[in-house]
């Protein structure tokens, strides 16, 4: 935050190019790829859109999984560009199996890409993109495209080793920086497809961004202050080590999940993400009061549900700059709020479970 508050530098100046070169290298590290990771000035959805308008043609057929708000978004984007979107629907909170993907590929051999959501932020569900990518590669030439917006920097994701063709993320998640930047990496197979795509695009034309990155430039004026923040965040991730960052997220997620269970509540997903935990609001708990007390009395913000999960869940983030003590404090605040809302549980059970999971 202090870095981002420093006086601005000019983006056509060597000082910026030096920073951007470092950022680009470190982005490759967190994506675990040798491919260029392109920076776009937009929120994460901009990178999702670019993964459609650069990789498809009108009339193509692509597969997406609707297991939450963000999986659903892939379908919306595909349809906007005239792509025939084959939809697999899974109950929100559950994850799609590789078998279901393979069945869809067998039924629709025209599918040229599979659009996945690694960590479905609206439900707190994680998709096994590694297993799906391996299965898809055996079955077809369809590209594997992954929304890694809450996964990159939180959960194990190895773009090259797992054979993923495109990964997108945003600045405000695992990168711990305010919103405003999106990132996308494409593999060789995807770049070949870019050459065949005739869909209209200008700002999000990835061939232009690729040309610029070769000289550590961006085609358009980038959000320089945010990039300065990303540079600092990437240095932090590098010095902790990406495997340790993934392990920390897993540890924190596990502690929150065990606290939730100890308090007699249920986690929505049976395949939980390590970036956040979505908790089912128990019967009799006034969700509005719960959120208000947690925020106003204990200064903790949790997110509510989206779509048909509105009023049914609350979502706890453990993504980015968090440590063990903060999880214990968070669970303690949850307990005090539940007490204030008249919910019955064994006092201290959540804190004990959270803390015990660290031993
Ligand atoms: C998994 C996932 N995909 C897509 C998005 C959309 O990103 P943005 O709101 O940055 O456009 C989000 C945002 O929360 C997300 O978590």
């Amino acid at each position: 935050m202090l870095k981002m508050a420093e006086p601005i530098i000019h983006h056509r100046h060597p000082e910026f190019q030096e920073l951007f070169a470092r950022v680009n290298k470190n982005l490759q590290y967190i994506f675990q790829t040798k491919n260029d990771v392109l920076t776009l000035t937009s929120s994460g959805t901009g990178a999702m859109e670019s993964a459609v308008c650069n990789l498809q043609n009108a009339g193509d057929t692509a597969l997406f999984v609707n297991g939450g708000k963000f999986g659903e978004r892939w379908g919306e984007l595909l349809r906007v560009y005239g792509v025939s979107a084959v939809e697999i629907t899974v109950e929100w909170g559950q994850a799609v199996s590789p078998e279901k993907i393979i069945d869809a590929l067998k039924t629709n051999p025209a599918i040229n890409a599979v659009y996945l959501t690694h960590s479905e932020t609206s439900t707190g569900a994680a998709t096994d993109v590694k297993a799906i990518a391996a299965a898809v590669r055996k079955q077809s030439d369809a590209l594997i495209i992954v929304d890694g917006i809450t996964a990159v920097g939180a959960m194990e994701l190895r773009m090259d080793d797992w054979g993923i063709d495109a990964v997108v993320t945003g600045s405000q998640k695992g990168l711990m920086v305010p919103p405003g930047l999106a990132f996308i990496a494409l593999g060789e197979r995807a770049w070949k497809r870019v050459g065949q795509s005739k869909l209209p695009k200008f700002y999000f034309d990835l061939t232009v961004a690729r040309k610029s990155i070769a000289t550590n430039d961006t085609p358009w004026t980038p959000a320089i202050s945010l990039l300065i923040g990303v540079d600092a965040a990437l240095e932090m991730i590098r010095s902790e080590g990406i495997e340790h960052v993934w392990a920390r997220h897993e540890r924190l997620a596990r502690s929150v999940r065990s606290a939730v269970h100890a308090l007699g509540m249920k986690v929505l997903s049976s395949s939980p993400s390590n970036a956040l935990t979505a908790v089912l609001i128990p019967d009799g708990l006034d969700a509005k009061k719960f959120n208000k007390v947690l925020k106003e009395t204990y200064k903790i913000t949790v997110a509510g549900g989206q779509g048909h999960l509105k009023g049914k869940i609350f979502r706890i983030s453990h993504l980015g700059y968090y440590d063990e003590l903060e999880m214990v404090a968070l669970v303690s605040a949850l307990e005090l709020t539940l007490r204030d809302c008249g919910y019955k549980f064994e006092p201290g059970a959540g804190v004990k479970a959270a803390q015990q999971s660290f031993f």
Side-chain angles (χ1 to χ4, degrees):
M1 287 168 85
L2 289 174
K3 283 273 177 199
M4 287 188 291
E6 284 178 8
I8 200 82
I9 56 171
H10 194 278
H11 62 290
R12 302 292 180 217
H13 189 275
E15 205 180 344
F16 174 79
Q17 285 159 342
E18 202 180 293
L19 177 139
F20 197 43
R22 190 167 54 241
V23 164
N24 292 334
K25 213 160 145 270
N26 285 338
L27 283 168
Q28 288 176 316
Y29 171 67
I30 66 158
F31 276 61
Q32 293 286 290
T33 184
K34 290 198 172 62
N35 299 300
D36 289 328
V37 184
L38 306 172
T39 295
L40 310 174
T41 304
S42 73
S43 74
T45 305
M48 292 175 74
E49 178 150 355
S50 79
V52 172
C53 67
N54 285 269
L55 295 172
Q56 299 294 339
N57 280 303
D60 282 353
T61 304
L63 179 66
F64 77 100
V65 182
N66 181 350
K69 200 80 206 139
F70 298 110
E72 186 180 57
R73 187 164 300 175
W74 278 130
E76 289 167 336
L77 281 162
L78 289 164
R79 287 175 186 133
V80 159
Y81 282 98
V83 177
S84 166
V86 178
E87 177 170 350
I88 295 180
T89 313
V90 293
E91 190 188 334
W92 284 24
Q94 304 313 310
V96 70
S97 65
E99 291 73 29
K100 269 204 170 159
I101 301 273
I102 298 305
D103 284 349
L105 289 171
K106 283 184 180 158
T107 314
N108 301 279
I111 289 170
N112 72 1
V114 180
Y115 286 83
L116 299 168
T117 313
H118 193 182
S119 164
E120 176 51 77
T121 323
S122 65
T123 65
T127 296
D128 189 346
V129 293
K130 182 185 181 186
I132 293 173
V136 171
R137 284 277 180 147
K138 272 195 211 144
Q139 173 67 33
S140 93
D141 285 333
L143 297 180
I144 300 137
I145 295 154
V146 173
D147 169 355
I149 291 177
T150 42
V152 171
M155 303 204 302
E156 185 178 11
L157 176 63
R158 301 179 188 272
M159 180 177 176
D160 292 358
D161 287 356
W162 293 0
I164 297 169
D165 298 288
V167 175
V168 308
T169 195
S171 50
Q172 78 274 27
K173 301 284 161 73
L175 282 168
M176 308 172 281
V177 167
L181 289 176
F183 307 91
I184 178 162
L186 301 184
E188 221 172 278
R189 299 191 328 155
W191 278 115
K192 229 180 244 163
R193 194 72 72 72
V194 171
Q196 298 154 7
S197 167
K198 306 238 175 327
L199 285 172
K201 56 217 160 244
F202 184 83
Y203 195 72
F204 289 131
D205 185 340
L206 297 180
T207 55
V208 184
R210 190 191 205 187
K211 215 164 144 195
S212 294
I213 206 176
T215 50
N216 292 311
D217 277 317
T218 55
W220 331 115
T221 305
I224 301 165
S225 302
L226 292 178
L227 270 167
I228 290 170
V230 167
D231 182 36
L234 286 167
E235 290 293 333
M236 285 164 61
I237 293 172
R238 256 229 187 258
S239 62
E240 186 174 350
I242 191 72
E243 274 97 357
H244 289 118
V245 173
W246 296 332
R248 173 166 53 81
H249 281 82
E250 192 184 348
R251 210 165 53 244
L252 301 188
R254 221 179 318 115
S255 80
V256 170
R257 292 196 290 261
S258 59
V260 165
H261 292 137
L263 292 171
M265 295 190 287
K266 287 198 180 96
V267 171
L268 172 70
S269 179
S270 54
S271 166
S273 164
N274 290 335
L276 75 150
T277 300
V279 183
L280 283 161
I281 294 172
D283 287 342
L285 181 66
D286 178 343
K288 267 202 185 128
K289 181 172 179 197
F290 171 78
N291 269 321
K292 192 171 149 63
V293 173
L294 193 58
K295 187 163 173 59
E296 289 178 9
T297 310
Y298 301 106
K299 316 297 176 211
I300 302 242
T301 306
V302 294
Q306 294 170 290
H308 68 268
L309 290 177
K310 201 168 184 232
K312 301 218 165 67
I313 58 168
F314 65 92
R315 293 174 297 149
I316 301 168
S317 165
H318 23 79
L319 171 61
Y321 192 67
Y322 285 113
D323 64 14
E324 294 177 350
L325 203 51
E326 282 166 317
M327 293 305 106
V328 175
L330 165 102
V331 173
S332 176
L334 273 185
E335 288 200 12
L336 295 173
T337 307
L338 289 169
R339 175 204 61 187
D340 296 349
C341 292
Y343 175 78
K344 296 275 174 278
F345 62 99
E346 188 195 326
V351 170
K352 184 177 174 191
Q355 184 136 332
Q356 250 174 358
S357 79
F358 296 135
F359 281 83

